[in-house]
Amino acid sequence: MFCDVDDTLIRCTSPADFLRYYLAGRHGPEGARQAEEFLVDLYGRVARGLPREEANREYHRAWRGRSVVELETWARRWYAERSKAADFYIAATAAELRRHRAEGAAVALVSGTFPPLLGPVAEEVGARFVLSARLERCGRVLTGGLIGPPAIGEGKRTLARELLARHPHIDPADCHAYGDHPSDLPMLRTVGHPVMVAPDGTLAPPVC
């Protein structure tokens, strides 16, 4: 089964939340101010028509020059703190993941979020696969670029199809997929059992 992460599995927009957490933790009030300025500008451009895929690239460019090891450490710290909240995981989706795993299905997380944030979530829910954009590195430092397209919209469909192609014994018609946003529809339409997660956490077939 395929599952989006932000606002589908966890009740959080993790890239923005982690940017605030990291910059405030590393640089105090000045870091917090920088995070808010960056996010207000980025969200404003999205509201004025910047495609979500390009906004995702812009977000990742903000990490240029940062140490991979440091960010992975901070990502686990962020997860340890945020996941203490009782509603961090969306209960209905988490229950579905447990059900699918109990029935023998493999779980694949498919997300455009900042990749270091996905490891702790995958470990917690027992996901076998993590499908996301790859961060370009120069040694142990991020360049701010992505290898391949962002895992947004058609990018999610591509990642899901590539995984299915590596496992030809799996019929897409037998697979389930969960998402919360219209940009998840390309991935949802790849499988036989698509599910949309509403803001209140209820599950329903998508209106395609």
Side-chain angles (χ1 to χ4, degrees):
M1 65 151 296
F2 300 94
C3 189
D4 173 49
V5 176
D6 290 351
D7 298 313
T8 296
L9 177 59
I10 65 174
R11 201 176 302 279
C12 176
T13 305
S14 59
D17 193 67
F18 180 66
L19 183 72
R20 294 186 181 102
Y21 177 84
Y22 173 80
L23 289 180
R26 287 281 281 110
H27 307 292
E30 176 61 20
R33 183 190 64 78
Q34 291 175 2
E36 287 307 315
E37 286 185 354
F38 175 83
L39 292 170
V40 167
D41 176 69
L42 185 61
Y43 287 144
R45 285 191 285 156
V46 170
R48 294 191 295 273
L50 181 70
R52 285 170 59 88
E53 293 83 353
E54 184 54 34
N56 188 267
R57 288 190 183 278
E58 287 286 329
Y59 172 85
H60 285 91
R61 289 187 188 111
W63 299 103
R64 181 179 180 180
R66 302 283 181 174
S67 161
V68 175
V69 173
E70 179 191 28
L71 290 175
E72 289 175 346
T73 299
W74 277 83
R76 289 192 174 275
R77 190 179 302 169
W78 169 86
Y79 177 81
E81 293 188 21
R82 294 294 192 258
S83 63
K84 290 177 182 177
D87 63 347
F88 181 77
Y89 282 96
I90 295 175
T93 311
E96 286 293 279
L97 263 64
R98 290 192 294 271
R99 179 177 68 82
H100 288 300
R101 289 190 64 215
E103 294 173 352
V107 173
L109 300 183
V110 191
S111 177
T113 193
F114 190 47
L117 303 176
L118 292 172
V121 176
E123 291 169 10
E124 179 65 27
V125 302
R128 182 177 174 186
F129 304 100
V130 175
L131 309 180
S132 67
R134 293 166 56 202
L135 299 176
E136 185 180 69
R137 306 179 181 188
C138 181
R140 298 182 180 182
V141 175
L142 296 180
T143 69
L146 297 178
I147 300 173
I152 301 287
E154 288 294 333
K156 285 186 177 180
R157 190 208 307 257
T158 298
L159 289 169
R161 285 179 170 174
E162 288 176 349
L163 181 60
L164 289 168
R166 296 196 296 270
H167 298 82
H169 62 288
I170 298 176
D171 187 345
D174 295 332
C175 294
H176 294 70
Y178 296 78
D180 72 289
H181 189 270
S183 64
D184 293 323
L185 288 174
M187 176 183 71
L188 298 181
R189 291 169 178 154
T190 300
V191 304
H193 303 280
V195 178
M196 286 293 280
V197 181
D200 64 358
T202 57
L203 311 179
V207 178
C208 299

